[in-house]
Amino acid sequence: MKINRRRRLIRTFNLLDQPIKFNPFVFSRTFFMWAITGLVGGIIAGGYWIVLEHFTEFLTHFQGWQVIPTMAICGLLAGLVIHFIGDPGEIHLIVNNIRFNKGKLEPKNNPSMILSSLFCVASGGSLGPEAPLVQVTGSTGTWLGKIFRLKGEELRSLSIAGMASGFTALFGAPLGGSLFSLEILHHKHAVEYYKAIIPALVASCFSYLIFALIIHLGIGATWNLKAYHYTGVYDFLYATLFGIVGTFFGWIFIFVVKFFKKVFEYRKFPIYIKTFVGGIILGIIAYNFPITRYFGHNEINQLIGGNFGLNFLILILVFKILAIAITVTSGWRGGFIIPLFFVGTTLGLIIHNLFPSVDTTLAIVSCMAAINACVTRTPMSTTIILGTLTGFTYFVPILFASLTGYFLAPKIPFIGSQSEKLSEE
């Protein structure tokens, strides 16, 4: 039955392809494959987001001291899901499979990734839904590629297009999402994957459209920063200086993660014990500093709109970095891009508190760009994504900060599968 279905699909696409060959447009059967990948990705992202919102709303009823047992139980449940259903891996595995496994992302662990990440993100872990979405939509791209009997670069391109569709849906930036899906694979040799740029763009546009229809997404900035006014070429110098500060804290974040990784790997405990312990620690941090709970999508606006003092901002900075590091290393599932943007926002506000004459928006966006580029090594996509999310239309200062974070990043990548050594083997 499955073989017959596939044959019918292939026959349909072949029929669609015939008349297109005689028209004057750059239009082919492959366009429909990219579009379908984007549509499916948008539906998956929209469904995931709706479930996440409802689950988060339910868990927000547990406030005060109840946060600690809530996060501990959710951590335990996420660990049990991973233990019994299967380990879905992390961003390292996605990058590794795209680069060295002929672009194949296996969909068999998607149920585990979806369930475990819902527990982790909805309960208040400092990781966002971007990594789970990228994995699920990327593996869906692989699955569709196999149905269409694609091989080699075509299959890899459809997997990358699927990744881009998931990332774009969340960030609302088709161009930034497409570039990210290429840059994240290898910081020096991204050009190797640029065959996938048009598939990624087409899938991203269709995904964004469907996602916007499902959750009634509007067009505009996500975070309410004050309007930035260009004051001269010195702004590029300021962006670079702020970028150096952001990069410094990117290094701190990387070392803190390495430290907690050694702590959690000191003894070979089952994954559900690690996630349970991680949940207790995260619950204690969230109880004392409620704004550090969750991945930062809404909390960034609270930071920007709240008139917080310098001492409180420093505490938030320290404990948010700790919360992200513990979430990453204790086995919780999710992505760290938006949480790093939260750290960048806090840094920018601290700089403004120390130097009131500094443009707050420039400081915040520059720190956001630098810390993310330092950790993920994605300067181009970071620049475009931040321009979209913050409404900061002057791309050049963001690019200066992003490149500062990129070139001052540690030689050994935070995402291990981006390593040069791996590509040489």
Side-chain angles (χ1 to χ4, degrees):
M1 288 296 288
K2 287 183 179 179
I3 293 170
N4 289 333
R5 269 194 226 121
R6 287 181 183 177
R7 282 177 180 166
R8 279 199 295 271
L9 264 174
I10 291 163
R11 249 187 258 120
T12 304
F13 276 100
N14 283 335
L15 283 171
L16 285 169
D17 201 27
Q18 293 308 310
I20 291 169
K21 287 179 180 177
F22 299 100
N23 74 50
F25 304 108
V26 181
F27 205 80
S28 68
R29 178 173 66 99
T30 51
F31 172 84
F32 290 102
M33 289 192 290
W34 305 335
I36 289 169
T37 302
L39 291 171
V40 174
I43 292 167
I44 291 170
Y48 182 94
W49 187 261
I50 288 170
V51 173
L52 178 63
E53 278 193 323
H54 282 90
F55 195 23
T56 303
E57 190 178 341
F58 169 73
L59 292 176
T60 50
H61 291 101
F62 301 99
Q63 298 290 334
W65 65 268
Q66 294 176 328
V67 167
I68 300 171
T70 300
M71 295 189 73
I73 291 167
C74 285
L76 176 64
L77 291 172
L80 289 171
V81 166
I82 294 168
H83 180 75
F84 287 108
I85 300 180
D87 189 349
E90 298 174 0
I91 191 69
H92 306 269
L93 183 62
I94 299 174
V95 174
N96 196 59
N97 283 341
I98 289 290
R99 291 182 64 197
F100 307 113
N101 192 28
K102 300 178 181 178
K104 296 175 184 175
L105 298 175
E106 294 298 331
K108 64 181 180 181
N109 288 325
N110 283 351
S112 175
M113 175 57 90
I114 292 169
L115 285 172
S116 61
S117 65
L118 282 171
F119 280 118
C120 296
V121 178
S123 64
S126 285
L127 290 178
E130 63 271 19
L133 278 179
V134 165
Q135 179 164 329
V136 173
T137 54
S139 59
T140 302
T142 301
W143 175 71
L144 288 170
K146 288 178 179 178
I147 288 177
F148 300 138
R149 294 187 177 179
L150 300 182
K151 292 179 181 178
E153 281 304 315
E154 286 188 328
L155 179 60
R156 190 199 304 271
S157 293
L158 204 64
S159 298
I160 292 172
M163 288 169 58
S165 71
F167 196 82
T168 293
L170 181 64
F171 287 91
L175 181 56
S178 301
L179 283 174
F180 180 86
S181 66
L182 304 179
E183 276 192 296
I184 196 70
L185 299 176
H186 198 285
H187 62 289
K188 285 187 179 178
H189 303 296
V191 71
E192 291 177 11
Y193 308 99
Y194 263 72
K195 288 181 180 178
I197 187 64
I198 298 299
L201 280 170
V202 172
S204 291
C205 288
F206 278 90
S207 172
Y208 178 65
L209 178 65
I210 291 297
F211 187 74
L213 285 171
I214 291 173
I215 70 162
H216 306 293
L217 182 70
I219 295 176
T222 302
W223 299 316
N224 306 320
L225 291 169
K226 294 177 183 176
Y228 162 72
H229 300 287
Y230 175 71
T231 58
V233 292
Y234 285 110
D235 281 9
F236 303 137
L237 174 62
Y238 293 141
T240 304
L241 292 173
F242 301 148
I244 291 170
V245 175
T247 305
F248 174 71
F249 278 89
W251 277 73
I252 290 174
F253 168 74
I254 290 169
F255 280 111
V256 171
V257 168
K258 286 182 177 179
F259 170 76
F260 279 105
K261 192 173 182 180
K262 288 180 181 177
V263 170
F264 281 103
E265 290 180 354
Y266 182 70
R267 291 285 180 88
K268 294 291 181 183
F269 290 111
I271 183 70
Y272 51 85
I273 299 297
K274 293 179 183 178
T275 53
F276 177 68
V277 172
I280 294 172
I281 300 169
L282 291 170
I284 292 168
I285 293 173
Y287 171 66
N288 288 285
F289 302 97
I291 201 169
T292 63
R293 193 182 179 191
Y294 301 110
F295 62 99
H297 189 262
N298 298 314
E299 289 70 29
I300 287 175
N301 275 332
Q302 291 178 33
L303 264 182
I304 295 166
N307 192 19
F308 299 114
L310 179 62
N311 291 337
F312 183 75
L313 287 171
I314 291 171
L315 286 172
I316 292 300
L317 176 67
V318 171
F319 282 99
K320 187 61 177 181
I321 290 174
L322 288 173
I324 302 170
I326 291 165
T327 312
V328 168
T329 55
S330 63
W332 285 46
R333 292 296 184 262
F336 45 77
I337 293 171
I338 297 179
L340 287 177
F341 286 160
F342 181 96
V343 173
T345 304
T346 313
L347 266 177
L349 291 171
I350 289 171
I351 290 170
H352 178 69
N353 268 266
L354 292 170
F355 308 100
S357 60
V358 163
D359 186 289
T360 317
T361 300
L362 181 63
I364 288 173
V365 174
S366 298
C367 289
M368 280 179 158
I371 192 169
N372 188 65
C374 173
V375 175
T376 64
R377 308 203 177 195
T378 55
M380 291 186 292
S381 52
T382 294
T383 301
I384 295 167
I385 288 165
L386 275 176
T388 303
L389 292 175
T390 63
F392 195 99
T393 54
Y394 297 85
F395 284 104
V396 181
I398 311 178
L399 186 57
F400 270 66
S402 293
L403 289 173
T404 301
Y406 173 72
F407 285 112
L408 296 181
K411 191 173 182 180
I412 299 172
F414 176 73
I415 300 172
S417 44
Q418 289 179 331
S419 176
E420 189 72 30
K421 290 180 181 178
L422 285 173
S423 63
E424 291 171 356
E425 290 176 357

